[in-house]
């Protein structure tokens, strides 16, 4: 059996990864540690919760004692570090927890990985560490790091720490830097689920600035397949960019969602821009394609419809969320 510590596995991408991989590999034993912040939700793991190869531990990756205990007890040989504070707007409201979880948490995991001589450490990073692009060009793995938000700065710091552990101590670290994900179980503070849910509730759809900021979208299962290839065949000390060549201005996605749901574009409300808002992201994925044979299997046209349909079919999931703590955040964020 491969004993894999997945951190942050109750969040959006981590839970999709666990549900996907337990279906694909019978020899994987997944130990999921998650602090269950506002973004962590055990309901995301209902397809996996009764799987004998799955264990959940509620805990914080900054807790050195707990992390060492887990490495020892479960004879951890592989780590996939998804755990992070992930939302840019929240990092603008307060950066401290971003530094703690994203930087110190990663450092704790790296120290344990060194001590217990693990075989692979995958750091789940983001294209946001490269900063912002003008109207042309792509992020390559060699693009200098230039993070702009407290969130992306904390992710860049974690990447540098991970690479330093590889160079200094030989910890077998590989980093993935992916573009914007969408799909089931995404917390409704992020653009796509927020717009779907507001439209369904006939609430205003807050579009930042002129709505022309561009993101490069990837379906979460395509990201998960990339992580799997990197875990199995990625080279130590390397970075792999991952994106599905789906650049789109935000307003186009917002209109597409309204259109599909048969709602009026009058629900769109342009609001004050995000401070320091990165203008454009676009990923060059040649390296992971050429070296590891990754390709995206989902087209945006199909997967966005599948995603909207998932939110239509899983009202309970998001109604539970939006009736809780989320309300405070939402009303602080948007004066609509
Ligand atoms: P998410 O916010 O949905 O989930 C994060 C999970 O981490 C939550 O379950 C939360 O409870 C947990 N967590 C947070 N702090 C923790 C701590 N200190 N200890 C243990 N658990 C903790 O985030 P996501 O969108 O699933 O992102 C997962 C990872 O992928 C993050 O590292 C993020 O930076 C990266 N990423 C996200 C995207 C995207 O589009 N969402 C794109 C590229 C990279
Ligand atoms: O690029 C990868 C990153 O993508 C990940 O590292 C982050 O964890 C993830 O949150 C995401 O960051 P973004 O800031 O790009 O995602 P968000 O969904 O917050 O915003 C997407 C775009 O939509 C961005 O240009 C801001 C805009 N936006 C967002 C919200 C929430 C709006 O116009 N209105 C909104 O209400």
């Amino acid at each position: 059996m491969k004993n894999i510590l997945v951190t942050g596995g109750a969040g959006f991408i981590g839970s999709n990864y666990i549900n996907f991989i337990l279906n694909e590999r019978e020899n994987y034993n997944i130990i999921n540690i998650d602090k269950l912040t506002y973004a962590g939700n055990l309901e995301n793991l209902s397809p996996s919760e009764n799987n004998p190869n799955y264990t959940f531990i509620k805990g914080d990756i900054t807790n050195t004692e707990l992390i060492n205990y887990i490495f020892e007890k479960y004879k951890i040989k592989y780590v996939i570090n998804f755990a992070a504070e992930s939302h840019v707007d929240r990092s603008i409201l307060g950066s401290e927890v971003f530094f703690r979880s994203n930087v110190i948490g990663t450092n704790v995991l790296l120290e344990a990985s060194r001590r217990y001589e693990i075989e692979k450490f995958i750091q789940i990073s983001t294209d946001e560490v490269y900063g912002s692009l003008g109207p042309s060009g792509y992020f390559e793995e060699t693009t200098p790091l230039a993070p702009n938000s407290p969130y992306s700065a904390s992710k860049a710091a974690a990447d540098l720490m991970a690479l330093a552990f590889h160079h200094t101590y030989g910890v077998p670290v590989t980093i993935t830097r992916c573009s914007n994900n969408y799909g089931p179980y995404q917390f409704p503070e992020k653009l796509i689920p927020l717009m779907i849910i507001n439209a369904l509730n006939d609430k205003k759809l807050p579009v930042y600035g002129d709505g022309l900021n561009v993101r490069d979208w990837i379906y979460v299962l395509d990201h998960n397949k990339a992580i799997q290839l990197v875990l199995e065949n990625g080279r130590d000390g390397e970075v792999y960019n991952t994106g599905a060549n789906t650049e789109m201005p935000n307003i186009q996605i917002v209109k597409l969602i309204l259109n599909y749901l048969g709602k009026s574009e009058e629900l769109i409300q342009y609001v004050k821009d995000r401070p320091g808002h990165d203008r454009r992201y676009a990923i060059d994925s040649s390296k992971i394609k050429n070296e590891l044979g990754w390709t995206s299997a989902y087209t945006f046209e199909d997967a966005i419809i599948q995603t909207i349909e998932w939110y239509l079919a899983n009202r309970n999931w998001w109604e539970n969320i939006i009736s809780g703590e989320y309300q405070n955040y939402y009303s602080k964020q948007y004066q609509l």
Side-chain angles (χ1 to χ4, degrees):
M1 284 303 253
K2 273 189 165 187
N3 289 344
I4 305 179
L5 180 65
V6 169
T7 73
F12 162 50
I13 304 175
S15 62
N16 274 288
Y17 176 77
I18 292 173
N19 294 334
F20 153 80
I21 205 61
L22 285 174
N23 244 337
E24 295 266 313
R25 299 278 187 278
E26 286 181 357
N27 63 332
Y28 276 33
N29 188 28
I30 301 287
I31 295 95
N32 171 19
I33 177 174
D34 196 295
K35 186 177 164 186
L36 298 183
T37 67
Y38 76 93
N41 185 348
L42 290 179
E43 275 182 49
N44 301 3
L45 291 150
S46 51
S48 305
E49 64 191 0
N50 295 322
N51 191 308
N53 295 340
Y54 172 71
T55 305
F56 175 69
I57 299 166
K58 181 174 188 301
D60 191 322
I61 57 165
T62 64
N63 182 340
T64 304
E65 216 176 302
L66 174 65
I67 293 298
N68 284 336
Y69 168 81
I70 292 171
F71 272 70
E72 178 105 43
K73 170 160 184 194
Y74 294 97
K75 311 228 169 321
I76 298 298
K77 286 290 164 216
Y78 302 84
V79 176
I80 310 178
N81 184 26
F82 292 97
E85 288 294 332
S86 68
H87 197 48
V88 174
D89 293 324
R90 288 186 191 250
S91 82
I92 294 166
L93 293 173
S95 60
E96 198 185 326
V97 69
F98 283 74
F99 192 83
R100 213 173 322 116
S101 291
N102 301 2
V103 186
I104 298 175
T106 301
N107 191 60
V108 168
L109 292 167
L110 289 166
E111 282 290 2
S113 300
R114 169 159 88 103
R115 181 166 172 184
Y116 292 96
E117 299 181 337
I118 66 156
E119 290 174 26
K120 196 74 165 167
F121 187 108
I122 310 287
Q123 174 65 7
I124 305 297
S125 185
T126 167
D127 60 356
E128 295 199 15
V129 298
Y130 298 119
S132 184
L133 288 166
S136 62
Y138 294 90
F139 295 135
E140 296 172 12
E141 287 82 357
T142 50
T143 302
L145 300 188
N148 289 316
S149 71
Y151 161 70
S152 54
S154 71
K155 293 296 289 185
D159 284 13
L160 292 177
M161 204 48 127
L163 289 173
F165 268 67
H166 172 69
H167 292 297
T168 310
Y169 307 116
V171 176
V173 165
T174 310
I175 295 177
T176 63
R177 293 190 182 134
C178 190
S179 61
N180 285 62
N181 286 223
Y182 64 100
Y185 304 116
Q186 186 167 34
F187 194 84
E189 63 191 350
K190 305 290 198 279
L191 181 76
I192 289 179
L194 177 74
M195 298 300 160
I196 296 171
I197 289 169
N198 279 16
L200 287 172
N201 285 334
D202 293 308
K203 279 173 96 168
K204 291 287 188 186
L205 275 59
V207 173
Y208 298 165
D210 59 6
L212 296 178
N213 295 64
V214 170
R215 295 293 181 266
D216 188 354
W217 294 93
I218 182 172
Y219 191 58
V220 65
L221 288 183
D222 275 333
H223 183 192
N224 285 336
K225 283 185 191 142
I227 293 167
Q228 193 49 27
L229 284 171
V230 171
L231 179 72
E232 290 175 347
N233 301 314
R235 287 184 294 137
D236 295 345
E238 295 290 322
V239 173
Y240 294 91
N241 284 352
T242 312
N245 279 91
T246 311
E247 282 183 59
M248 227 170 288
N250 297 330
I251 191 65
Q252 190 179 330
I253 296 187
V254 171
K255 288 185 176 170
L256 183 157
I257 291 169
L258 285 170
N259 213 0
Y260 185 76
L261 294 173
K263 301 284 183 173
S264 161
E265 289 185 8
E266 282 177 15
L267 285 176
I268 294 171
Q269 183 160 335
Y270 288 92
V271 296
K272 200 157 104 7
D273 208 354
R274 170 186 282 175
H277 196 176
D278 287 337
R279 190 62 172 170
R280 172 173 167 260
Y281 302 148
I283 277 267
D284 179 342
S285 308
S286 314
K287 182 174 171 180
I288 193 168
K289 285 182 175 155
N290 296 338
E291 260 190 40
L292 305 181
W294 177 82
T295 49
S296 56
Y298 293 86
T299 64
F300 185 79
E301 290 70 26
D302 292 341
I304 189 69
I305 301 306
Q306 243 175 276
T307 302
I308 299 173
E309 288 291 340
W310 187 88
Y311 283 88
L312 281 167
N314 290 276
R315 268 183 173 269
N316 278 350
W317 181 86
W318 54 262
E319 276 175 351
N320 283 341
I321 293 172
I322 66 172
S323 60
E325 181 270 346
Y326 171 85
Q327 273 309 332
N328 300 331
Y329 165 75
Y330 188 83
S331 50
K332 207 185 301 178
Q333 186 67 14
Y334 312 107
Q335 261 99 52
L336 295 177

